[in-house]
Amino acid sequence: MLGCVIHGQGDLRVAQLPVPEPGPGQALVAVRYGGVCGSDLHYWRHGGVGDFRLREPMVLGHEVVGTVVGYGAGASGPAPGAAVAVHPATPCGVCPECADGRRNVCRDTRYLGSAARFPHVQGGFAAQVVVPCDQVRALPDGLGLRRAALAEPLSVALHAVGRAGEVAGRHVLVTGAGPIGCLVVAAAKAAGAARVTVTDLLPEALEYARIAGAGTLVRADDPDAPGWPSEVDVAIEASGVAAGLDTCLRRVRRGGVVVQLGMLPAGHSAFAGNLVVSREIELRGAFRFDGEFDQALVVLAGEAAFDGLISAVVSVREAESAFALAADRSRSCKVLLDFALAP
């Protein structure tokens, strides 16, 4: 079977991999679509993401959907042939964070396609994958596999909005209109935000934010652009650059909340920390998700507008072209790999 393996910076290979066999408690899933995530692009372009560096070849991918093939001993779940989404995280269940109900920051978690630990956790960009059976979710009625491929990144967005606290009736600023930023817009609107303003450097990216439900679009590099809010109630930084965090801190109201969602570069990042003190701003991190995955599937089932965020579906055989397209935000939002013809 074909899989998409990263060997190092700029070294992405589509290779034949052995077909896995499900062990006790595991499910075997035939992958149909895999969404190319920003972290996948970081592994491809830079050999790592944040502080997580590649130390061995790794199958990429954690945004995967497909159909059940079968189960190992003692495992059960949706019937073979059922359309499913795969929750990519396997928390340890025993660390202090898991005990505290914060499994998304488990100190010993396993996450598909992640170099956070060594040996790395191999990912889901393969024609068939084995995962714990309790991480397989049947799709709700009305939700097809193509749109369901957005479940993982939408879960990230839902978690970030949840970290912001109450947003109903409030003005939310989102810096960065990449796939995650656009899904934050959708999540904020679903949570009742009265107004969502989005900033980005690219007009093409801002148009995807409009599809997601943003009411005001602002060019981040134009301080005189119409639409800049004097202040907002909540700001969510989704660009992963320090300038975006600076914008959030300067635009949020006194006593407001800033959520840092975008993964900043490894090492130190300069930001206006004095404003956190003088304006008593609450600065909160948001990392991955947990139960929001099930919520994401329900949200996706009820809203066809999400289809407009999927800008291309590319065969896994052309994975490098797909990655190049996904990296060009002037031409794409979310790019999916298609494993239908990858025996």
Side-chain angles (χ1 to χ4, degrees):
M1 67 173 189
L2 291 182
C4 190
V5 184
I6 188 71
H7 286 254
Q9 182 177 355
D11 188 1
L12 179 68
R13 308 179 196 179
V14 177
Q16 286 289 341
L17 303 175
V19 177
E21 290 286 338
Q26 294 181 325
L28 178 64
V29 175
V31 174
R32 176 60 196 271
Y33 297 117
V36 180
C37 176
S39 62
D40 298 318
L41 295 176
H42 275 286
Y43 284 124
W44 173 54
R45 299 170 80 178
H46 309 296
V49 54
D51 293 321
F52 308 152
R53 312 302 301 178
L54 283 170
R55 298 168 59 189
E56 64 177 347
M58 182 177 75
V59 177
L60 289 172
H62 52 267
E63 302 176 8
V64 293
V65 296
T67 54
V68 173
V69 176
Y71 295 93
S76 62
V84 296
V86 175
H87 192 306
T90 310
C92 72
V94 297
C95 71
E97 291 74 31
C98 285
D100 195 36
R102 303 187 68 177
R103 305 196 317 163
N104 61 299
V105 289
C106 167
R107 64 184 61 190
D108 195 30
T109 195
R110 299 178 61 83
Y111 204 88
L112 291 178
S114 172
R117 58 191 296 156
F118 185 82
H120 302 332
V121 180
Q122 300 299 309
F125 283 174
Q128 296 189 36
V129 297
V130 164
V131 295
C133 64
D134 60 1
Q135 290 171 218
V136 174
R137 305 288 199 275
L139 301 191
D141 291 342
L143 180 58
L145 283 169
R146 188 175 184 272
R147 193 190 309 164
L150 295 174
E152 195 275 352
L154 179 58
S155 301
V156 172
L158 289 168
H159 180 72
V161 171
R163 289 284 291 153
E166 183 60 65
V167 302
R170 298 189 175 183
H171 187 178
V172 178
L173 171 66
V174 180
T175 53
I180 291 292
C182 289
L183 290 168
V184 168
V185 172
K189 295 295 289 185
R195 180 182 174 190
V196 180
T197 296
V198 180
T199 69
D200 200 279
L201 297 172
L202 298 176
E204 298 88 350
L206 289 170
E207 284 305 312
Y208 281 110
R210 188 191 304 279
I211 292 172
T216 305
L217 311 175
V218 181
R219 282 287 296 268
D221 56 350
D222 183 358
D224 299 318
W228 273 112
S230 58
E231 67 176 22
V232 298
D233 302 300
V234 172
I236 300 178
E237 203 302 293
S239 70
V241 297
L245 176 56
D246 188 74
T247 295
C248 289
L249 291 170
R250 295 184 186 281
R251 297 286 174 174
V252 76
R253 64 172 174 80
R254 292 174 179 268
V257 175
V258 172
V259 177
Q260 180 62 45
L261 172 59
M263 184 68 78
L264 294 167
H268 298 286
S269 294
F271 66 96
N274 59 307
L275 298 180
V276 176
V277 177
S278 63
R279 298 183 183 179
E280 206 164 84
I281 295 168
E282 294 190 45
L283 177 58
R284 304 171 183 172
F287 187 62
R288 294 177 178 164
F289 56 89
D290 188 22
E292 294 89 351
F293 193 78
D294 299 292
Q295 180 187 357
L297 292 173
V298 173
V299 171
L300 288 168
E303 183 52 74
F306 284 102
D307 293 339
L309 300 180
I310 299 173
S311 46
V313 179
V314 182
S315 170
V316 67
R317 298 176 185 277
E318 306 297 328
E320 190 147 15
S321 295
F323 273 56
L325 178 60
D328 185 350
R329 295 197 307 116
S330 69
R331 297 192 295 139
S332 71
C333 184
K334 174 58 68 174
V335 175
L336 305 183
L337 292 176
D338 189 346
F339 291 82
L341 302 177

